[in-house]
């Protein structure tokens, strides 16, 4: 069986230690990387993940639970929700981590994947008398014992988007089983823009969309160690990524924290039977995707935490510029807050309205989760624009840190970039660089582009809202009020609320 | 004491009966009105209120509770919230009633007023050793026994807005105590655009804003029967109000339901001591307004129920026009739904995040309540615009119902305004008139203008968001991430979350 | 030949006189109307049309031209544009008339129709050696001699929108030729929501969309007197229309001016040969619609004139409320102005970029005209919402004019609805009623719903922008900058700008 | 006198040659730069400027004029507008250069400065019998003879924004005269984020805002060679600037073109008398700023040219992804175009409405110029967001160019990042990198942040719109329509249109 060799991780330090000495086949800007824990471009993403362990140490009520499988305290990211409150607490932890890191801390995909898989494996078993759910529970218990990081690998590279997986010219354009043995299966293919894989311990590989009967080999869900044989990683570039290679800590904007996205290529990588949680049940692929995206779209509440940082930075720089009393400045901060709280409120509303699946695991409301994520595809862009507005043009024209440190030129910068008397020029520059980082630079990738496309691009939410919006029910409401006689066949069902409204009008 | 003569109202029918035979001094379009229950312009607003009783009969879990004061089942509108779930259930009932009536059912002001008053009277007593809270409990028990309708009268006419109440040229421009006797007080003044007073049984009179020490006579809270001596009502006009006087049921758009707003003028009206819940404690006026508006801004979730009707009507008319399959039509319905669910989600999030006041009564989260209401000042306008888009120009150029009924002309209309073959022309016209009603006509007042100004105009929410947005906390987040050393005095408080975030990060 | 009996109209008074004594078959709310000039609901629309003559008297440079056909000064509404400046002057006149009337003055359809027809008749002749253009010139000269009002009737009722005209179950659902004689043709069918027909002298009947070869009988363009035999009019209802029947001049909001829309039903109405300008050339129907909508979409610049009134009313009422100094009030007025000037600027830009057609007549730029109109489908709604914001809730809850005039109640209203000391309560009520009129009432139909649907609903503009947006050209720009080698076939055409950009980069 | 040694520049090549061998005191990332023409980070900005000369060669009608001062053909950027058409042609040239470079070509500030200065020097002379205008004409003639590049230096670093220049703790925080001699003046201070100075030949130094009588030493306008003694330049950092230092041409996004912004520090730099165009006439500083910003705000029409590239890139990548037929994709391209054309239309409308100043030089309409610029502070952000939407997440997670070129890894990327069969993976990557460049990378600085702050931040436009919006005129329109009697003092002026509307209603 597989290499379950990680001792329980009890702290951020344990976590950092756990990443050392692994052999990964990883390329970054054309070069192999031996040790991710010392690479300046990768380190900030490891720090962001480590923050999830640090929060567990500092605020255990927020960031941990007692595992029902082991009885020990573990990260909330490994917990399967037993109640709507559990769903809500995920959101609260997410916002807090967004505040503390100002970036994507990359651990939600795995959390949402285990929650989705919990109920889907249960329902596959129910339909096909398989035993995926028990296998999954065993896997999950192991994870709880290790208190480790699970990544979720879902997004296939997709090739020609008008063709099904089995119809592609190259069969590898969706991850698939290439070979079966008595011990397990071998998979090939690639997952694109994988958030937080290199700093994880295991990945859950899952299909990316609805599959048909000819796509059976693509209907594979399984767990695999990040350092398994047959996996190649190519690190994704981010705006301003090489600033992390420069000396100093100003121009990089946020010296400590950053996101991470990589391409993950499987070349006959092995998954043992015990870690296979779907194999061929193509008709459950859509359900998995639905459940996962419901959880994950509401997980974007994390961006309200990053938004708190953006608002704070904008307010700070306005103060440093000496204009914080102007009514239009204050009004823009209110607007940013209004938008930011909308992201938070719609997300937690989806969680609060959560309900039990047959497996007992709680699922959030999909309509509100999609409403939340759809706002996330727009509001951070507007918040970001307003932050640049408050920052002033200097955010994009400022001299470099090396200039500031230059013996001659540095004096000129300190003289001329002085704002309010009490604020050192360097502090003002630091705050402006943080805003650059969040709106154009490295963490703009997480705050903006990932907000747009993560958990599904805008149109994916619109499709889902269209599926859930119950027009028949709403048309009946209007028909009755307009004084139109309902046709007999519709009158009969006038009291049917449909799934969404049934949940809405159910006593809390 | 006062005329507590109403037997317990157990049904919509009981309610309608309870309104008969009262002597009100009411003017409508220059004429006195003897019996409100038979006046065609007023009747729809009574029907809307009656719907709250009908829902209690049909869905008791949604619209009633067991009174902790009497042990009997009463309307949820009379209930003081004992939990966050109670707050949430108010929202759910509100959305349902919006769906069933397509208008403002006018009973939320009273509900939110008793909730606010419950905790404020408790806190005044605590500060001043008064006994308002006990008086209020007795009053509330009486209301529960009657299961009647309480209106809340808050908005003074205000005169010159740059002056405090006591500074106004005319002292009556804010409601005030004019005389005191051993039995109680007499009040004069006027409350503007009072929603749902004539169809209520009692009104709670409350101050409208922060008061100063010279405004003591304005610091009066008390209950008064709607038919008390000294009260004059002038009915407010609404767009298209007189269509209710025309024969037929098409052009009126929503023949059954409508809102009601009136000016209420007190001319030395009497409030007995037992029903006085604040008298002179001017320093608590702001707290009352804060609490009330927190509840009431989230009560605008009702508009998502009306929004369901608007969406349903737009979908229905698109179908009648034969264009429901067009991608842009479907996309507009998705957009309307996305906006509408945002109103709902932000409102219930405020309720879910509710917390106990010292009195035990639960209060919703003010930041999210303001976020909700602020969306309500915009989104219904956009939903309404999209509904007109889907309706087509006919919504504003259609011939009258009398033309349709004309022996000769009617045939032409039926021939030429035919849409899809299976839909009678009259049905299409009815649906278009409903959209007109909701976007330009009588219920546009409730769906649009009241959404804008009710519970405070847009700027009022922005002021409140500004007060709650905790910039100091957010600036610290940014300062830490920017690598700026915190000044000693701020470093000390780096862990302080402030009231909003303390609540956010509190375990659910 | 036809009854060309109108003497030249030289003044608003002449115009009013010209409408008397005509026999029209017109129904309004189920009743026949004998004399439109005395009907209180119709009169405001006649006044609005008369304003076009009054402006000609008062500002001849703005509202008249010297006819190239007669050498006499005539209304600019009858002029065929000889230059881009002529196009621009139409817009300026439109804005001014919007300012003076606060409504739709209903004369642009005819203006835009004669301009479109001028070039299209020319091009049909060129293709088919017909002589429509000469006929049209003769007709136009006659119109110039009379200086009368021409309406344009385009919008068919359309029936099932998925079927072509000849495929409809009822052949009359698009206007068509039913019979031909040596003298001319007879037409049947109906035109929906016809703006300004009853107060016109002639109508130009035109097809509403692209036609196919089986639709030849629908390919008819011709002129017909408004009072011709065989035409029935049914007056369209507008929000609050019956307030014009009430005594007084306050509640009606804008006592003088209003719009007019009617259904026009042709039952074998006759068009003489001399006034037929297309008969069967179905392949030119699309060109006509294109040209007409290009002109007409930019004609919505008139709404910026109405917008000036809305902004003025909002500013006035803010002042009356004593809040005009608040920064958020001022900022909202700026926002309204910004939006309003965008409508104006995009419209006149389309005109300024006008160019000569083969006939010599100038045509505006279609891309910018569509950009203008598309803003018009949204911006007036937002301006209107902001006006209601500045007005306060009173705009939708105010007592009636009869109450104000009531001996007893009137005193109370004057006392309690007093704003700023120097402003009579009645003035404040008048201003609020004007805002109600423009945002919910009668002129909201013109300012909002007609802005949405007139000259094509929003999607029609998007379709047109899609057709004109020259993606191939733009993709080439990006391809070159991305450093991608252009495929040989595209490299060859890299310098082709396409029609829109050719015009853009042509020397002015 | 000064070193007027540049021979006439007749081509892009001449221009590049003219920049060689100059001695500039320039620092970039802490290092002095000897030769700007070979520095990889600076070169793209020189190329962008060179494109203005190349366009002059290729499209002389668009990009050149015959100088009225020399009779020779010169760059349109050096031309003083003699007509509204001249203003419009500036916009057309700007859009074309935006299309060709995909960035800011940095030559508009100088163009707008000479136009503003032309009329302001004339009016100062008129007021004070000075002879600045003649001096300026002589200077301009010299520039025409050289056909060189003039930059405009306006934005002072400002220090504490609540204090006037003379009140600042450090008097150098606004550029000022430090010493006078018989030959001229010496200036000290700094200009922030100076667009395109290093690749210019001369700079016009101008005050940045309204000055008071104690600010006389700050009221200095003059010309100075870029390589004059006493000037230090510090190059501003841009997002992803160091990608220009990497090998290859993909990751940089737009290998050829980029913007340039630097801090310019004057340390007793000398301006000879002949080149001084204001010295102490502080009361004309505001007029200069007004005129300059009117021109310059409408110059942002250039962004519609860059927008064409963004739209083209988004359309191209959608096609490469194989999704160009999806209705939502097409609709987003329409939306981008609609926004982009709005920028163009409002800008050229401002130019078309231009009018002659006393000096004969034409000035654009300020209201519409501000309307244009205000849209520019928002629309490019939304266009950019939509471009990222169409690009897909790959735009921010793609492997590096070095990975693509890696012998082993490169194959994997070519296999897995394949989109549509006919498109090489490298081309798809190039297009995605161009979008990254425009929305997050180097040219996002020009397309987004500069759009926000250049020519004044958003609030500056709102202040200007507020000044121009003529509320008194608009209130009168509303007052008349509301039926309110005009007060005698206002009735008298009812016909006054005010400056903006006078221009609007003036015959074209």
């Amino acid at each position: 069986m597989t290499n379950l060799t990680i001792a329980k991780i009890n702290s951020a330090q344990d976590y950092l230690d756990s990443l050392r000495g692994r052999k990964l086949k990883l390329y970054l800007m054309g070069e192999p990387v031996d040790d991710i824990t010392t690479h300046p471009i990768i380190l900030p993403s490891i720090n962001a993940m480590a923050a999830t362990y640090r929060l567990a140490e500092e605020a255990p009520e927020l960031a941990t639970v007692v595992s029902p499988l082991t009885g020990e305290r573990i990260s909330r990211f490994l917990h399967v929700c037993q109640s709507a409150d559990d769903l809500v607490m995920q959101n609260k932890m997410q916002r807090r981590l967004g505040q503390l890191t100002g970036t994507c801390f990359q651990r939600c995909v795995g959390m949402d994947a285990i929650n989705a898989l919990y109920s889907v494996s249960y329902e596959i078993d129910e339909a096909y008398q398989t035993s995926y759910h028990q296998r999954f529970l065993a896997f999950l218990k192991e994870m709880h014992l290790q208190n480790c990081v699970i990544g979720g690998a879902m997004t296939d590279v997709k090739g020609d988007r008008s063709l099904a997986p089995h119809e592609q010219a190259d069969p590898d354009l969706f991850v698939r089983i290439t070979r079966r043995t008595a011990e397990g299966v071998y998979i090939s293919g690639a997952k694109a823009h994988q958030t937080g894989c290199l700093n994880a311990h295991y990945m859950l590989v899952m299909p990316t969309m609805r599959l048909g009967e000819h796509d059976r080999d693509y209907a594979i869900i399984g767990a695999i160690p990040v350092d398994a044989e047959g996996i190649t990683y190519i690190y994704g570039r981010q705006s301003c990524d090489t600033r992390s290679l420069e000396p100093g800590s100003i121009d990089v904007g946020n010296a400590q924290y950053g996101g991470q996205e990589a391409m993950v290529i499987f070349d006959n990588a092995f998954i043992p039977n015990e870690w296979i949680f779907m194999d061929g049940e193509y008709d459950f692929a859509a359900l998995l995707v639905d459940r996962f995206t419901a959880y994950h779209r509401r997980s974007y509440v994390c961006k309200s935490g990053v938004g708190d940082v953006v608002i704070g930075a904008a307010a700070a720089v306005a103060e440093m510029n000496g204009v914080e009393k102007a009514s239009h400045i204050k009004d823009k901060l209110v607007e940013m807050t209004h938008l930011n709280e909308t992201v938070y409120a719609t997300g937690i509303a989806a969680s609060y309205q959560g309900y039990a699946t047959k497996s007992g695991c709680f699922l959030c409301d999909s309509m509100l989760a999609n409403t939340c994520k759809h706002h996330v595809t727009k509001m951070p862009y507007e918040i970001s624009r307003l932050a640049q507005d408050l920052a002033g043009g200097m955010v994009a024209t400022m001299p470099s840190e090396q200039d500031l440190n230059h013996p001659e030129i540095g004096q000129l910068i300190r003289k001329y970039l002085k704002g309010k008397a009490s604020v050192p020029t360097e502090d003002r520059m630091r705050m402006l660089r943080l805003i650059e980082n969040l709106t154009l630079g490295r963490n703009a990738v997480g705050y903006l582009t990932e907000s747009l496309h993560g958990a599904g691009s805008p149109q994916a939410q619109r499709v889902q809202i269209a599926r859930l919006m119950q027009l028949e029910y709403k048309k009946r409401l209007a028909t009755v009020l307009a004084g139109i006689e309902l046709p007999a066949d519709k009158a009969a069902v006038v009291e049917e609320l449909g799934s969404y409204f049934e949940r809405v009008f159910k006593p809390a």
Side-chain angles (χ1 to χ4, degrees), chain A residues 35 55 70 128 373 433 497:
Chain A
D35 184 355
L55 188 66
T70 68
Y128 291 113
K373 175 67 208 327
R433 286 288 177 219
L497 294 170

Side-chain angles (χ1 to χ4, degrees), chain A residues 99-174:
Chain A
Q99 290 185 342
L100 293 173
T101 62
T103 188
C104 170
F105 37 88
Q106 313 148 57
R107 207 173 170 183
C108 302
V109 182
M111 176 177 83
D112 296 330
I114 60 173
N115 275 274
L117 209 35
Y118 191 95
S119 66
V120 171
S121 62
Y122 185 95
E123 293 180 36
I124 300 177
D125 287 358
E126 200 183 49
Y128 291 113
Q129 288 74 52
T130 44
S131 54
Y132 296 127
H133 193 61
Q134 284 312 312
R135 279 188 193 170
F136 183 69
L137 287 180
F139 165 75
L140 199 59
K141 185 172 178 186
E142 190 56 49
M143 298 297 105
H144 285 194
L145 288 170
Q146 299 182 19
N147 199 26
C148 59
V149 176
I150 307 177
M154 183 172 256
T155 311
D156 289 294
V157 291
K158 294 200 191 84
D160 184 330
R161 277 144 204 251
S162 63
L163 303 176
H166 74 277
E167 294 169 339
Q168 300 283 334
D170 179 343
D172 295 344
L173 293 175
F174 288 74

